[in-house]
Structures are given as C-alpha cells and as structure tokens.
Amino acid sequence: MTGAVSPDRRRFLTAGAAVLGAAASAQLWLPAAARAAETSLPDGVFSLGVASGDPLPDGIVLWTRLAPDPVNGGGMPDRMVPVEWQVAEDSRFRKLVRRGTAQARPEYGHSVHVDVRGLRADRAYWYRFRTSGQLSPVGRTRTAPHPHSSGGSLRMALASCQNWQHGYFTPYADMLDQDPDVVVFVGDYIYESTPSATGVRRHEGTGEPFSLTQYRNRYAQYRTDPDLAAMHANAPFVVTFDDHEVDNDFAGEIPQDPDKQPHDAFVARITAAYQAFYEHMPVRATAVPTGPHIRMYRRLEFGRLARLNVLDTRQYRSDQATSQAGAQDPSLTMLGARQKQWLLDGLHDSPARWNLIASQIMMAETDLKVGEGKLWFYDAWDGYQAERNRFLQEFRQVRNPVVLSGDRHLTMISDLKEDYADPGSRVVGAEFVGTSISSNGDQDQEAFRKEWDPRRPDNPHWKLLDAHRGYHLFDVRRDRIDAEVRVVDTVRQPTAAPSTLARLRVEAGRPGVEVV
C-alpha cells in the first residue's frame, strides 16, 4: 500500500493554501489598528523559521509551523489559526505576485504547507508569513527551469545524517555561502536516540520518541539549529527519510528489535513518526500520511537538463538479510514492486540529459573483508543484491545515471559496475555517497584510514573515501557534472572552517566518475 490520500481529504488539507491572485486578499498585512482586533497568540510563533521545497517550473511548496514553545508540544491553543502568506519578486515585497491565507490546524501541529502555483520558471522568489500581528522571517526560494529548457546549469547540494548530539550543523553555513539552487536531503533528518550526557548537544526529552508529541518535539529541536534554519530559508529542499526518522534499521513495519516492540505498538510509532515528518517538511499534500503509510517517492524535473527520482528505501522493503545467501535471495526487495516499476519507467522514458536517483542507502558494493571472500552491509543495497543487480543492468540503457546517497557518515564515491562479482564488468554509472552533516562527530582520521585503507584493493570501484563532516556540491551542465566534497574542520563548535576536500567530474556519455 502507498497510503494514498483521498481527494476529499486532500482538498480539505490544502483548501487554505490555494493560490490567490494579488488582488484577492485586500486585507493581507493589516494595519496596526486591525491587527489589534485579532485574537492574540503567544510571542514567538515563528520560532521554527520558514522553508520551501519540491520546486516545479510554475510552483513551490512554502512551509512554516506555529510553535511558540517548540520543544514542549508547540505551545499553541487547540484551535485552527489563519496564517497569511505572500510571495514577491523582490526581498522588500514591492512586487507581490501571489498571496493568500492558509489554515494552521492543531491536528497537524499547526504546520502550514502552501502549494503556490502560477509562478515563472527558473527564477528566485521571496516569501513570508503573518499571523496575530507576528511576522515570520523572510525566505528565498527558486522555481525549476521550464520543461523544455535544455541549456543552463543547476547547482545542487547533497546532505544527510544530522545528529544533534554528535555536533553542530556547521556544514550548512558553508552551504549557504555556496548558494545552491536546490538541496537534496536523503535521510536521517533527526535521530530517535535517547538523550546523552556526553553529547556535544543533548536531545530533548527523557528517552526515544514514540508518540506524536515526542516526535514533534524532536523535530522542533532540530529546526532550532541556526545554520539549518538559515539554509532552509535560502533554498528549496527536496527531502526523503531513512531509518532514524522512525527507528534504527527498521524495514517496512518491522522494527530493529521486534522482541521489544510488538507489531501493533510499532505501527503506532510509525504512524506518529510519519505524521511528524510531514508536519516539519516542505512537501505537497500527496505526502499527507494515512496511518502508517506515506507516499514519498516522487519525481522532479529540472528542464531537460536533469530528472531527479526520489526513492523511499524503507517503507516497502523486505526485512534485512542475515547471511550472504540471504542477501542474494531474488525474492528480497528494497523498493517494492510498484516503486521499482515506477523508477524503471522514469529512467527509460526520461527526456533529461542526466538521470539522478536520490537513494537513502549506498548502491555500490562495500566488501568489508580484506582478501578472499566477501562481507557486506545488509542494511544497504548489498543486502538486496538481486534487485540491485537488475537495476545496474538496466543502467546500460539509461542516459547518464548518477546515484546520490547518504547513510554511511562517510564520503564514498564510486563507479557503479554492472556486476560486482566480475572485476572486469563494465561501468554503468556513478554514485556519490555524501558524508554526514554531523553524525559520528569529528572522527579520528588516522583510525579511519587504518580501518578502511586495507579494504580498498577489494573495492577497486571506490574513487574517493573520507570521514570528514560536510556535504557534496554539484554543478550540473549538459556536458558534465562537476562535484566538490565540501568539509568542515569541526562540528564540536558552533562555527567551523570549511574547505574543498576533493573535486570530481562525471562526463556525459562516459559512465563513471573521476577525481580531477
């Protein structure tokens, strides 16, 4: 099941977010005398900032959540609150193009999702919200290029794995300076771990989140990181989730520890986690959860330059294998039949120069055993090899496939091979596994090299391996993708010194990736 939302329910949730013409809301941004007559709310309702996401050529999703007491349930009254919004062509809002009123509903944590349409392609816009006389921060966003546009370039950042307790989210400060057109976030936006007295920062609460309120509090805490908030306010995000938004290494409706989490209890936990994810992400109403189901796999177009296929590798997967024979079981699936066919169709029918796949977990092989034999991570695509290998075979017929992944807390950049069991098999694509924003903290680089360098001869497809914190930056053009691995010197302090660790290139028509 994909948990599709009924048309009536979707209309109910988005009715207040329908786009209104600039003349349709004459009372927007009321004068002081009119504002005084409004029902007051506690100060600081926009404590979680603003965000945008999922850009279209003519539209964008705008997000905020009213939460004057963010890590204690939000602090809002149990009633619907109208929230006015504006979109302009300039940061001073002199050239308004869209405005309207959305409803912040208590059953959705007083979150607001405005699906604005009627915008112009490939241009920047500014937006803001107001309620009860309080103004939100101003956000900047950008629409996608025109569907038939084949030239130009796209600057894209890849991020994942931001653990509050392991460090500050300092890589976002550098990302802000690099000014990407869009940020692709491939999972582990929050961590569900218990508060730690030894962490750089301490999780709120007293244990792991299980209820909706507890998940809301955890998301709210993460949203207060100033560098993350600033990045959200300056570029649209395309987000998907991995495991820690729910429970470490979960698969479908199977928890990491089924002996401790009975099925019904875990389903209730998934239901809460998916709703909190929706409430805090700039996604469309197609992602409104129905119980323990949420539709997150989707496709975004950036003209004819790039098609971005966003995967969900958690909700539909078979339980993880526990042996090498299990990892090669052809009945195991990572994506489920419907999503798998959707991805194949989107790759083969694509008009785009570049076919990008946002996958939460690594697709290339990781052989952990030095010397003869194999040892794999079963929670990655290595644990679902028959399905992975079928995709790699299909890549031979796909124009310029590039996979963007996370999860590992490492930079692992690889050639994608048609058959990893055959060292001489052809290269069919490239994969960038982005390092973490903060997860694993400031790693001991010498210890990392001692552990991982001996494995490199058994993984000749690896082109770059590193354990610094940071993100990847891509400049996508028709003839090539230029990539930078951007890293910071520390996440243990609120500020850090950024640098370029490496530059890489993927050339159109030549599968694989090279260090420049």
Side-chain angles (χ1 to χ4, degrees):
M1 291 181 64
T2 60
V5 183
S6 71
D8 288 342
R9 186 165 181 236
R10 189 170 294 126
R11 280 196 295 271
F12 168 78
L13 289 165
T14 59
V19 176
L20 302 178
S25 184
Q27 293 186 355
L28 191 62
W29 317 112
L30 299 172
R35 289 201 301 267
E38 292 182 335
T39 303
S40 63
L41 294 172
D43 290 339
V45 293
F46 293 110
S47 64
L48 302 182
V50 299
S52 67
D54 282 11
L56 301 176
D58 68 340
I60 196 75
V61 178
L62 307 181
W63 174 92
T64 192
R65 180 186 166 213
L66 309 182
D69 194 3
V71 298
N72 293 292
M76 286 290 292
D78 187 19
R79 60 178 173 82
M80 191 166 63
V81 176
V83 179
E84 297 160 309
W85 54 270
Q86 288 181 329
V87 177
E89 293 183 351
D90 65 304
S91 61
R92 304 181 112 185
F93 293 84
R94 290 174 175 171
K95 298 179 181 178
L96 291 180
V97 293
R98 291 291 183 271
R99 57 187 180 183
T101 301
Q103 301 299 330
R105 302 178 183 278
E107 61 267 33
Y108 286 93
H110 290 96
S111 61
V112 175
H113 299 76
V114 181
D115 191 352
V116 183
R117 299 298 176 97
L119 302 177
R120 295 169 61 185
D122 198 20
R123 64 172 301 143
Y125 289 95
W126 286 259
Y127 63 96
R128 62 185 178 183
F129 300 90
R130 190 188 74 82
T131 189
S132 190
Q134 299 183 51
L135 281 173
S136 74
V138 171
R140 186 191 67 168
T141 191
R142 190 171 192 88
T143 51
H146 188 277
H148 301 303
S149 170
S150 59
S153 63
L154 175 70
R155 172 161 277 205
M156 176 181 294
L158 172 67
S160 64
C161 304
Q162 49 192 34
N163 191 316
W164 179 271
Q165 299 194 134
H166 289 180
Y168 296 90
F169 301 162
T170 54
Y172 284 120
D174 178 65
M175 187 188 293
L176 186 70
D177 289 339
Q178 301 302 321
D179 197 22
D181 299 314
V182 64
V183 180
V184 178
F185 191 94
V186 291
D188 295 343
Y189 192 96
I190 64 164
Y191 279 71
E192 86 293 8
S193 48
T194 59
S196 169
T198 61
V200 177
R201 300 187 285 187
R202 186 183 177 93
H203 274 152
E204 54 70 43
T206 58
E208 291 189 18
F210 290 90
S211 70
L212 177 56
T213 297
Q214 289 171 325
Y215 276 107
R216 283 172 175 168
N217 290 343
R218 186 61 56 88
Y219 274 101
Q221 182 180 44
Y222 277 57
R223 280 286 195 168
T224 62
D225 181 275
D227 291 322
L228 174 60
M231 195 62 240
H232 267 302
N234 277 272
F237 274 54
V238 176
V239 298
T240 186
F241 59 84
D242 193 21
D243 54 340
H244 289 289
E245 286 89 347
V246 181
D247 181 45
N248 182 52
D249 287 354
F250 83 99
E253 293 184 359
I254 304 170
Q256 179 188 31
D257 48 1
D259 55 326
K260 296 180 181 179
Q261 296 189 76
H263 180 259
D264 288 352
F266 189 62
V267 167
R269 185 181 193 182
I270 293 173
T271 300
Y274 287 168
Q275 179 167 333
F277 178 84
Y278 166 75
E279 290 173 353
H280 290 84
M281 295 297 130
V283 291
R284 290 189 165 82
T286 49
V288 175
T290 301
H293 306 287
I294 185 171
R295 173 66 182 266
M296 285 308 299
Y297 68 86
R298 62 204 190 278
R299 187 171 292 128
L300 294 161
E301 313 282 358
F302 295 89
R304 295 198 172 179
L305 180 65
R307 167 173 282 186
L308 176 63
N309 302 278
V310 183
L311 301 186
D312 174 351
T313 61
R314 284 290 163 189
Q315 190 174 182
Y316 312 103
R317 69 160 69 181
S318 308
D319 198 9
Q320 287 90 340
T322 56
S323 67
Q324 292 194 39
Q328 296 170 312
D329 182 348
S331 70
L332 294 189
T333 179
M334 178 73 78
L335 302 181
R338 184 178 297 182
Q339 183 180 192
K340 177 186 173 183
Q341 193 59 51
W342 167 88
L343 177 58
L344 288 172
D345 291 345
L347 292 172
H348 289 306
D349 298 342
S350 173
R353 184 75 164 178
W354 296 94
N355 286 284
L356 311 178
I357 301 172
S359 169
Q360 291 83 349
I361 41 81
M362 185 171 176
M363 184 171 282
E365 182 176 81
T366 301
D367 179 7
L368 296 168
K369 187 174 182 179
V370 177
E372 293 295 320
K374 300 275 190 180
L375 179 62
W376 299 307
F377 280 125
Y378 296 130
D379 191 54
W381 278 98
D382 277 341
Y384 302 77
Q385 292 195 20
E387 187 168 272
R388 187 268 307 277
N389 293 345
R390 286 196 294 271
F391 274 117
L392 293 177
Q393 292 167 8
E394 296 281 350
F395 280 5
R396 292 174 56 182
Q397 309 301 322
V398 175
R399 188 186 293 112
N400 298 317
V402 177
V403 178
L404 309 175
S405 308
D407 180 62
R408 284 292 171 82
H409 309 163
L410 304 172
T411 287
M412 301 183 79
I413 299 174
S414 308
D415 286 343
L416 291 172
K417 307 269 285 185
E418 186 176 12
D419 181 3
Y420 285 103
D422 176 8
S425 71
R426 71 174 68 189
V427 175
V428 294
E431 180 176 35
F432 291 81
V433 178
T435 184
S436 66
I437 291 292
S438 69
S439 301
N440 279 20
D442 293 345
Q443 282 188 253
D444 183 329
Q445 301 298 316
E446 184 177 346
F448 168 78
R449 289 293 168 201
K450 185 177 180 180
E451 177 185 0
W452 285 89
D453 282 353
R455 295 168 173 158
R456 299 200 68 161
D458 297 285
N459 297 272
H461 51 280
W462 291 350
K463 296 299 183 74
L464 184 67
L465 196 62
D466 185 76
H468 286 87
R469 304 284 69 84
Y471 67 98
H472 293 181
L473 185 68
F474 305 93
D475 285 303
V476 183
R477 300 177 177 89
R478 280 190 59 78
D479 62 334
R480 68 187 188 275
I481 296 178
D482 289 317
E484 289 186 49
V485 179
R486 300 287 299 174
V487 299
V488 294
D489 62 343
T490 183
V491 292
R492 296 189 62 85
Q493 303 294 332
T495 58
S499 62
T500 297
L501 177 84
R503 291 183 171 87
L504 303 100
R505 177 169 294 171
V506 182
E507 294 190 8
R510 293 182 57 186
V513 59
E514 295 297 335
V515 178
V516 177

